[in-house]
């Protein structure tokens, strides 16, 4: 028996200029904040942008962006609604606030289903918010999305970077395109992460200082747009045209 | 018409197989539809008819229903889910993404959400016949 959904995925994504998977080795490095603000920043530059939260058991971009009172439209599949000018898709439309305990095969099935039935239309960028680690979603993203590119987030912690190093190795061995690494929650001067990224022959895109005001901007997109965090994401975008090149 | 997207996935897969095997005609396609997802067979069938290409002009599409069977990993209980018994909100959510059943359903014997969907999940291409 054959699963027909897999065969339609790249056709569904054919109207998208570039897919950027925002990923990290370990949790708690600010990856969902980065994915959300990257999507908002690209949109601010005038691009048409989609954001797909594929951290299915712990989705959070809907909280960061305060996505409420919208839901997908059913038309030859599902059309993600606009939220803050982003085509926004999340499992939370279907689970609400309930816990969603999923094992690996279920996680794969949710990803395949969403990629097979979501009608994104024409977009310049689709930003994916991946769960941490080298598990099912990362492997399926490599397997299923032909032209995906990866943008990795880490903290200054050697522990966080230890998993990032393995993630870089996996992505490189699988011939996946890595845009580069961003160091988040920087609290003191240190070039350790930057040096280690360069040792891996990967582009170091920049660093984002720890922003104590970020927590207060959760759910308030106007406030989020004024944070140092988002301003730094915008700076990284302007300094690195390779992120928007496609 | 979420069914249309799944029907298009089936047609796309059939055409890929036909191209791979050098077929000029496809006679028969057998599709299994799991009851958990509650696909509307009429809409699905109608979508298939809209998606026909010349190679599929005379293809007979057989659609078989597969009951939804769930198995609890904690207490080993296996049960058949009767989707007609679900309330509308749960039905609607599972219709789009069957795995969200884990957010709404529990094992009727021990109450665990840690169950496996053994059968009846979604749309599967069971067999295909054609000629060169």
């Amino acid at each position: 028996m054959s699963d027909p959904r897999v065969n339609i995925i790249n056709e569904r994504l054919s109207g998208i200029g570039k897919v950027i998977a925002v990923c990290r080795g370990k949790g708690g490095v600010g990856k969902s904040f980065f994915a959300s603000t990257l999507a908002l920043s690209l949109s601010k530059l005038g691009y048409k942008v989609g954001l797909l939260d594929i951290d299915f058991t712990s989705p959070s971009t809907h909280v960061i962006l305060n996505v409420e009172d919208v839901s997908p439209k059913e038309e030859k599949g599902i059309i993600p609604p606009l939220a803050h000018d982003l085509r926004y898709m999340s499992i939370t439309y279907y689970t609400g606030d309930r816990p969603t305990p999923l094992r690996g095969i279920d996680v794969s099935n949710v990803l395949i289903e969403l990629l097979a039935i979501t009608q994104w239309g024409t977009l310049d960028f689709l930003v994916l918010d991946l769960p941490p680690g080298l598990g099912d979603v990362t492997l399926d993203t490599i397997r299923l999305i032909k032209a995906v590119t990866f943008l990795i987030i880490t903290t200054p912690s050697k522990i966080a970077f230890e998993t990032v190093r393995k993630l870089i190795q996996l992505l490189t061995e699988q011939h996946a395109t890595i845009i580069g690494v961003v160091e988040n929650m920087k609290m003191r001067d240190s070039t350790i992460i930057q040096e280690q990224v360069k040792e891996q022959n990967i582009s170091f895109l920049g660093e984002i200082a720890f922003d104590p005001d970020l927590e207060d901007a959760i759910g308030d997109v106007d406030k989020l747009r004024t944070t140092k965090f988002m301003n730094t994401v915008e700076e990284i975008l302007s300094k690195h045209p390779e992120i928007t090149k496609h | 018409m979420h069914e249309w997207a799944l029907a298009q996935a089936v047609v796309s897969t059939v055409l890929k197989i036909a191209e791979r095997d050098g077929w000029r005609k496809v006679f028969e396609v057998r599709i299994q539809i799991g009851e958990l997802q509650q696909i509307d067979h009429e809409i699905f069938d109608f979508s298939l008819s809209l998606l026909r290409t010349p190679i599929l002009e005379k293809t007979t599409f057989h659609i078989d229903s597969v009951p939804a069977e769930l198995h609890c990993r904690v207490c080993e209980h296996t049960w058949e889910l009767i989707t007609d018994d679900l309330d509308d909100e749960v039905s609607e959510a599972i219709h789009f993404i069957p795995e969200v059943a884990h957010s709404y359903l529990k094992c009727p014997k021990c109450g665990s959400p840690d169950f496996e969907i053994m059968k009846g999940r979604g749309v599967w291409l069971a067999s295909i016949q054609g000629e060169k």
Side-chain angles (χ1 to χ4, degrees):
Chain A
M1 285 221 291
S2 161
D3 184 348
R5 298 171 301 166
V6 172
N7 284 306
I8 203 74
I9 289 174
N10 284 295
E11 192 175 325
R12 289 276 180 269
L13 301 175
S14 61
I16 297 168
K18 187 172 187 175
V19 180
I20 302 174
V22 178
C23 56
R24 83 286 209 195
K26 293 184 89 70
V29 302
K31 177 233 23 154
S32 294
F33 268 113
F34 188 87
S36 302
T37 51
L38 174 65
L40 290 171
S41 302
L42 288 166
S43 174
K44 192 179 162 188
L45 290 171
Y47 294 113
K48 285 176 77 177
V49 183
L51 175 60
L52 172 59
D53 193 330
I54 53 177
D55 191 351
F56 300 126
T57 57
S58 312
S60 57
T61 54
H62 66 294
V63 178
I64 293 168
L65 298 174
N66 190 27
V67 179
E68 280 182 352
D69 305 324
V70 289
S71 55
K73 185 177 160 194
E74 189 176 2
E75 192 178 313
K76 291 188 171 180
I78 48 177
I79 300 174
L82 277 173
H84 313 292
D85 286 331
L86 308 173
R87 287 277 165 206
Y88 180 77
M89 192 67 207
S90 166
I91 194 173
T92 54
Y93 292 131
Y94 305 104
T95 58
D97 290 335
R98 293 170 190 80
T100 309
L102 299 173
R103 287 179 181 264
I105 182 67
D106 300 317
V107 167
S108 281
N109 262 322
V110 176
L111 181 62
I112 293 169
E113 192 77 25
L114 278 179
L115 293 174
I117 67 173
T118 305
Q119 299 280 9
W120 293 100
T122 306
L123 294 176
D124 296 301
F125 295 97
L126 175 63
V127 177
L128 308 178
D129 184 16
L130 267 67
L134 286 63
D136 297 86
V137 170
T138 302
L139 293 172
D140 281 331
T141 301
I142 298 169
R143 176 172 72 101
L144 298 169
I145 306 176
K146 209 162 46 182
V148 67
T149 59
F150 289 86
L151 200 158
I152 302 168
I153 312 298
T154 186
T155 61
S157 163
K158 288 174 192 167
I159 296 170
F161 193 77
E162 175 58 17
T163 318
V164 164
R165 196 182 50 74
K166 291 171 184 162
L167 178 61
I168 290 171
Q169 188 180 340
L170 171 77
L171 294 174
T172 307
E173 284 172 358
Q174 297 308 307
H175 309 292
T177 303
I178 303 173
I179 302 172
V181 175
V182 170
E183 185 181 5
N184 185 28
M185 299 186 194
K186 190 97 179 175
M187 294 176 79
R188 63 186 175 91
D189 283 341
S190 163
T191 55
I192 291 175
I193 299 295
Q194 189 169 343
E195 285 161 14
Q196 292 202 36
V197 169
K198 285 178 179 167
E199 265 177 40
Q200 309 278 324
N201 291 319
I202 301 293
S203 172
F204 182 79
L205 298 172
E207 51 192 43
I208 304 175
F210 178 77
D211 184 351
D213 298 328
L214 199 54
E215 188 69 17
D216 293 336
I218 292 174
D220 184 342
V221 170
D222 290 336
K223 206 167 186 178
L224 187 61
R225 289 182 197 277
T226 64
T227 57
K228 282 181 191 164
F229 183 95
M230 181 151 165
N231 293 340
T232 313
V233 173
E234 289 170 345
E235 278 172 29
I236 289 171
L237 271 179
S238 67
K239 281 182 191 163
H240 292 276
E242 69 268 28
I243 299 174
T244 49
K245 190 181 171 190
H246 59 83
Chain B
M1 286 262 288
H2 158 247
E3 281 77 0
W4 189 91
L6 296 170
Q8 194 192 23
V10 168
V11 168
S12 173
T13 305
V14 168
L15 292 177
K16 275 182 188 160
I17 292 170
E19 190 184 347
R20 182 197 68 194
D21 293 350
W23 292 348
R24 288 187 300 120
K25 286 180 184 171
V26 176
F27 297 132
E28 184 187 274
V29 174
R30 197 164 277 280
I31 302 159
Q32 291 189 351
I33 295 187
E35 287 185 2
L36 181 61
Q37 200 161 10
Q38 305 150 81
I39 298 293
D40 186 315
H41 287 216
E42 272 185 38
I43 296 176
F44 187 80
D45 204 33
F46 177 67
S47 303
L48 286 174
S49 69
L50 293 179
L51 291 159
R52 279 178 194 265
T53 61
I55 200 173
L56 303 175
E57 202 176 349
K58 292 186 178 172
T59 308
T60 306
F61 288 97
H62 295 284
I63 300 173
D64 302 318
S65 290
V66 181
E69 188 180 294
L70 311 180
H71 175 76
C72 179
R73 287 190 176 93
V74 176
C75 73
E76 303 285 339
H77 178 59
T78 299
W79 75 102
E80 187 180 321
L81 184 74
I82 310 298
T83 50
D84 288 347
D85 296 345
L86 301 173
D87 75 42
D88 290 348
E89 183 198 5
V90 180
S91 267
E92 173 89 352
I94 293 174
H95 171 61
F96 287 106
I97 307 175
E99 282 67 29
V100 303
H102 292 276
S103 291
Y104 296 95
L105 308 179
K106 304 250 187 319
C107 169
K109 204 171 168 190
C110 74
S112 170
D114 187 9
F115 56 81
E116 191 175 352
I117 303 167
M118 304 291 285
K119 289 182 194 163
R121 188 211 164 274
V123 177
W124 291 88
L125 188 60
S127 66
I128 167 172
Q129 291 179 23
E131 72 167 15
K132 290 187 178 177

